[in-house]
Amino acid sequence: MHTRVGVIAACCGIFFALPGLASAQVPGGVRCVEEPTDQFVTFGDLIECDITPPGDVDIFRLEGTVGQRAFIQLTGPPTGVNGCLELHRPDGTLWPPAVSLCSRTGQGTVTYNLMLDQPGTWTMRVYELNDRTMPYSLQIECLSTDLCGGPSDVVCDVQLNQMTYSNGDTVIATALRFANHRSRPVATEIKLSLEVPGLAPMSLANVGSDGTVVLPAPFDQNFGPLPLFQVTPSFPRGSYELSCRILEPTTGRLLSEDLNPFVIQ
């Protein structure tokens, strides 16, 4: 079984060597509009901006619908400043109620992970707690792809040639597809794993934890069909699962997941 898994890992490693998938740099964002900064943003945006002059407040507006899960993160310098992020519902009330979140010294980030409970324009106010200047980035993502639409998706898609295999059959990934439909490159951590009856899950490929695997924009490529392994009598019988996951390297947040159960009988 260990030899067979080694073959799977070697096969799955092929696509990571292809041009365009790996990069030595983590992508940056786009500049905000000039002062006074007041602009509409969309899911998938990464905005680079500055609080300047001292006492400045930057405004960003996001159109949302009820049920969308939003991930909004303000990242400033780790020391020397305290960045603050206020989130206002379309009716003007704060979320969470009567709270503006500010980073603590040495932390550098402020994060919201929430389910939108009102339709319309949500407003973000960014400022520095002590009226100092501050460079920062603002990341806006949607975690509910079914409600946020395909154009903002990062995709991992695996399809197998069968659901049930016997001795002599070859397990083939008829599709091994990765896509980035966002407007900017996305740093990713990509994991392929195999669950085997009676054994711990086996990692077939795990690349990008250091942020160096970048899906360019746009990107949509299918590396299948790809033969993975042939079933022999030495394979345990029962339920298997081939899974593909794409994570955000810094936070470990799940961007895409595709689980493919199958049976060896």
Side-chain angles (χ1 to χ4, degrees), residues 192-247:
L192 289 174
S193 61
L194 180 68
E195 293 190 9
V196 180
L199 299 176
M202 299 179 180
S203 176
L204 307 182
N206 187 347
V207 296
S209 61
D210 56 356
T212 58
V213 173
V214 176
L215 297 182
F219 182 84
D220 194 329
Q221 189 164 345
N222 182 8
F223 298 96
L226 182 65
L228 300 179
F229 59 91
Q230 187 177 49
V231 177
T232 69
S234 64
F235 277 75
R237 309 292 115 163
S239 298
Y240 287 67
E241 183 176 270
L242 179 66
S243 64
C244 178
R245 294 177 176 88
I246 299 181
L247 309 179

Side-chain angles (χ1 to χ4, degrees), residues 40-120:
F40 275 88
V41 293
T42 61
F43 289 118
D45 281 350
L46 177 62
I47 306 296
E48 303 286 350
C49 204
D50 299 275
I51 293 298
T52 186
D56 179 33
V57 177
D58 291 341
I59 306 295
F60 300 93
R61 305 181 191 276
L62 174 71
E63 291 292 333
T65 60
V66 173
Q68 290 176 325
R69 178 162 290 280
F71 174 88
I72 303 170
Q73 181 168 279
L74 169 71
T75 302
T79 59
V81 296
N82 294 92
C84 299
L85 175 62
E86 288 182 2
L87 184 60
H88 294 254
R89 293 182 176 91
D91 67 3
T93 57
L94 276 170
W95 192 100
V99 172
S100 60
L101 298 183
C102 299
S103 64
R104 298 190 300 272
T105 299
Q107 183 180 31
T109 61
V110 177
T111 302
Y112 287 89
N113 188 329
L114 75 152
M115 189 80 73
L116 302 188
D117 57 6
Q118 291 183 7

